[in-house]
Amino acid sequence: MPVKMGQKVSGGVKTILRESSGYHHHHPHLASHSSVVLNPDLLQKPSRLNTLLAMPSATTDVQLKHSWNPDDRSLNIFIKDDDELVIHRHPVAQSTDCIRGRVGYERGLHAWEITWSNRQRGTHAVVGVATRDAPLHCVGYQSLVGSNAESWGWDLGRNRLYHNSKVSPDCAYPQLDVNANFAVPDSFLVVLDMDEGTLSFVVDGKYLGVAFSGLKGRKLYPVISAVWGHCEITMKYIGGLDPEPLSLMELSRRVIRRQLVQRRFEDIKKLPLPKSLKIYLISQ
């Protein structure tokens, strides 16, 4: 059977993840705690994220305001006339194509839902954020989001994180137990906290931990890069929260984390604390 544009030759979307030798620990824009292999079942959502997700979903008008930008896309991608939350990629060979969202975020906590069928992802399906300067098209198939210093992306097929990948190696995400299987479902949440400067993801209600950090001081837009012909991707803005003062509990947590030598968060398990507090200290 001939291989379709961007199609996986090996078939199957599940990937066996292995610890990435502490790559995050040495990279300024990747979550510094991720040299610790964690079970997503034990990661707690940040309290503000719980608050945001408990709020009523954004209205249709708000979702459209935060939807795809028809003036900021590869020419091989178009927004559907009958649903402005959905994009469609033309079946163009040897091309990787991106589109940004309408709104760039500089402050506050924001979450949006991406729906992208795993049967339409192909070899390079990447979701993340980018500045206005990140490229939106290239010749050939690649993980374009995350290939440069202006974008940060999660490759959904490989379960790898990319930022400036032409000069920096990638690493596994989420950080699972060795030999654990993980497949990204059709729908999941992207969580951008510009007050903390972090990008995270939530899958099936489970918080996967911080993927990227060090994002403060930028204006970042939702972005995807795709290679599969006729793929359709939906972005639905969930809502946002303005910055607020930190709680005493959160301030204490930050002081403890700063005291750990070289941010070696594996040392938290040695502290004489209840398990629930250890989990809270590790979680971003």
Side-chain angles (χ1 to χ4, degrees), residues 197-270:
T198 61
L199 181 69
S200 309
F201 298 87
V202 176
V203 169
D204 292 332
K206 296 178 180 178
Y207 178 67
L208 301 185
V210 169
F212 297 98
S213 59
L215 304 180
K216 282 185 179 182
R218 295 175 171 84
K219 188 173 186 178
L220 299 177
Y221 299 78
V223 70
I224 61 89
S225 65
V227 298
W228 186 271
H230 294 302
C231 71
E232 294 193 343
I233 306 162
T234 303
M235 179 171 66
K236 184 181 296 183
Y237 186 70
I238 301 300
L241 287 177
D242 290 331
E244 62 181 25
L246 297 174
S247 66
L248 179 59
M249 184 175 180
E250 176 62 18
L251 288 171
S252 300
R253 171 180 168 276
R254 294 184 180 205
V255 170
I256 293 173
R257 288 167 66 94
R258 280 199 297 267
Q259 296 305 313
L260 295 173
V261 178
Q262 295 182 341
R263 300 179 68 82
R264 293 179 57 189
F265 298 121
E266 62 266 30
D267 290 343
I268 288 176
K269 63 184 178 181
K270 301 175 184 178

Side-chain angles (χ1 to χ4, degrees), residues 33-109:
H33 73 269
S34 59
S35 58
V36 184
V37 180
L38 300 172
N39 183 341
D41 291 330
L42 299 179
L43 284 173
Q44 293 182 338
K45 293 188 187 78
S47 58
R48 292 185 71 221
L49 178 57
N50 277 324
T51 299
L52 173 58
L53 297 180
M55 295 168 59
S57 295
T59 64
T60 301
D61 288 344
V62 172
Q63 289 177 354
L64 289 174
K65 177 183 176 182
H66 292 261
S67 64
W68 306 111
N69 190 342
D71 300 318
D72 198 13
R73 60 184 172 87
S74 162
L75 295 180
N76 296 324
I77 289 178
F78 68 90
I79 298 174
K80 298 189 70 175
D81 292 334
D82 59 347
D83 190 345
E84 294 180 38
L85 302 182
V86 182
I87 59 171
H88 185 105
R89 180 185 178 274
H90 291 297
V92 180
Q94 291 299 317
S95 176
T96 300
D97 304 288
C98 303
I99 183 171
R100 271 184 285 259
R102 291 177 181 270
V103 179
Y105 306 107
E106 298 178 272
R107 63 195 297 271
L109 173 67

Side-chain angles (χ1 to χ4, degrees), residues 13-208:
V13 298
K14 290 190 176 181
T15 303
I16 296 177
L17 302 182
R18 297 186 182 277
E19 188 174 2
S20 59
S21 302
Y23 165 67
H24 287 271
H25 183 73
H26 299 289
H27 196 286
H29 293 296
L30 292 163
S32 55
H33 73 269
S34 59
S35 58
V36 184
V37 180
L38 300 172
N39 183 341
D41 291 330
L42 299 179
L43 284 173
Q44 293 182 338
K45 293 188 187 78
S47 58
R48 292 185 71 221
L49 178 57
N50 277 324
T51 299
L52 173 58
L53 297 180
M55 295 168 59
S57 295
T59 64
T60 301
D61 288 344
V62 172
Q63 289 177 354
L64 289 174
K65 177 183 176 182
H66 292 261
S67 64
W68 306 111
N69 190 342
D71 300 318
D72 198 13
R73 60 184 172 87
S74 162
L75 295 180
N76 296 324
I77 289 178
F78 68 90
I79 298 174
K80 298 189 70 175
D81 292 334
D82 59 347
D83 190 345
E84 294 180 38
L85 302 182
V86 182
I87 59 171
H88 185 105
R89 180 185 178 274
H90 291 297
V92 180
Q94 291 299 317
S95 176
T96 300
D97 304 288
C98 303
I99 183 171
R100 271 184 285 259
R102 291 177 181 270
V103 179
Y105 306 107
E106 298 178 272
R107 63 195 297 271
L109 173 67
H110 303 272
W112 56 92
E113 180 186 63
I114 293 291
T115 299
W116 189 346
S117 171
N118 57 36
R119 292 173 295 181
Q120 297 183 3
R121 294 175 183 169
T123 55
H124 298 83
V126 190
V127 173
V129 294
T131 69
R132 181 66 76 182
D133 297 325
L136 298 178
H137 172 262
C138 72
V139 176
Y141 301 134
Q142 66 169 282
S143 300
L144 184 53
V145 172
S147 66
N148 50 76
E150 303 298 327
S151 60
W152 296 257
W154 182 26
D155 188 311
L156 305 181
R158 295 169 177 79
N159 291 307
R160 310 294 294 184
L161 297 176
Y162 298 109
H163 172 64
N164 208 16
S165 61
K166 293 180 180 179
V167 298
S168 302
D170 59 281
C171 66
Y173 181 86
Q175 291 288 315
L176 298 176
D177 295 331
V178 175
N179 295 325
N181 290 332
F182 184 81
V184 183
D186 291 349
S187 296
F188 55 92
L189 298 184
V190 184
V191 180
L192 179 63
D193 190 338
M194 291 307 295
D195 303 322
E196 293 289 328
T198 61
L199 181 69
S200 309
F201 298 87
V202 176
V203 169
D204 292 332
K206 296 178 180 178
Y207 178 67
L208 301 185

